Amino acid sequence: MTMSDDDILAPRRSRPGSSRATSSGTDARGPIIDQDGREIRPETLEQGFREFGFELGKDNPFAGSPFGNLTREQRIARIEAIAKLLDVAFILPGTNIRYGIDGLIGLIPVVGDIITTAISLWLVREARALGAPWYITTRMLGNVALDGVVGMVPFAGDAFDVMFRANMRNVRLLRRWLDKQPRI
């Protein structure tokens, strides 16, 4: 039995002549609960899907952050995961040479290097948001700049991207600094 889009977006209402048991106007399945454990009224669901949109006002706790409120450990794990994806996610078959999507995207002349440099700069911004001091972020920016400039050279720049691994270097810099910080 397949469900229609209406059944997915809004709770089912009992139909005349159906054998579903209802109690005080609510469905026999129980209340609808959101991810925070709060009950959602059915009329809110029906209305919300039609008027789906983003509100980035100052009263919104998620304003300005597409990922919501993350803990420090979650941010660090996200930075490390993205750096690994960019620099060492794959192994060249038959060798021990590791490469990531930075090397693959970098094969697209100019545009690929701009995209990967932008992602690398976002990682530096995240490090700064974690409280990394200016001397750490300056070294990180230097790694990104070197990777971006040399990466623009066709083929030789792509080989440099694979071997230099600027994002993994930046994560190591950040991790060393974080390890020296007192735990709160």
Side-chain angles (χ1 to χ4, degrees), residues 163-180:
M163 298 303 170
F164 185 64
R165 299 177 182 158
N167 298 301
M168 292 303 294
R169 287 175 186 257
N170 288 344
V171 166
R172 266 192 310 252
L173 282 170
L174 180 63
R175 182 52 82 180
R176 282 188 205 134
W177 176 77
L178 287 170
D179 288 342
K180 292 178 184 176

Side-chain angles (χ1 to χ4, degrees), residues 3 11 23 40 45-47 55-56 90 97-98 103 114 126 137 140 159 164-165 169-170:
M3 296 178 72
S23 62
I40 300 174
L45 273 180
E46 294 170 7
Q47 202 173 46
E55 294 199 22
L56 299 176
F90 313 108
I97 299 173
R98 298 187 70 87
I114 291 172
E126 282 292 301
T137 53
M140 292 172 82
F164 185 64
R165 299 177 182 158
R169 287 175 186 257
N170 288 344

Side-chain angles (χ1 to χ4, degrees), residues 10-77:
R12 286 188 179 176
R13 301 189 197 294
S14 46
R15 296 179 185 111
S18 73
S19 61
R20 291 191 135 197
T22 59
S23 62
S24 69
T26 61
D27 205 356
R29 293 179 290 181
I32 300 168
I33 306 295
D34 70 359
Q35 63 190 17
D36 296 324
R38 294 182 297 243
E39 184 175 349
I40 300 174
R41 296 188 319 257
E43 53 273 1
T44 307
L45 273 180
E46 294 170 7
Q47 202 173 46
F49 283 108
R50 287 189 208 108
E51 300 172 9
F52 186 76
F54 295 102
E55 294 199 22
L56 299 176
K58 62 183 177 184
D59 297 332
N60 184 359
F62 301 113
S65 174
F67 301 105
N69 297 330
L70 298 177
T71 65
R72 182 179 179 98
E73 291 77 23
Q74 289 171 328
R75 281 181 176 230
I76 295 166

Side-chain angles (χ1 to χ4, degrees), residues 76-89:
I76 295 166
R78 180 176 62 190
I79 290 171
E80 289 175 344
I82 293 172
K84 285 179 183 176
L85 178 66
L86 285 170
D87 289 342
V88 294

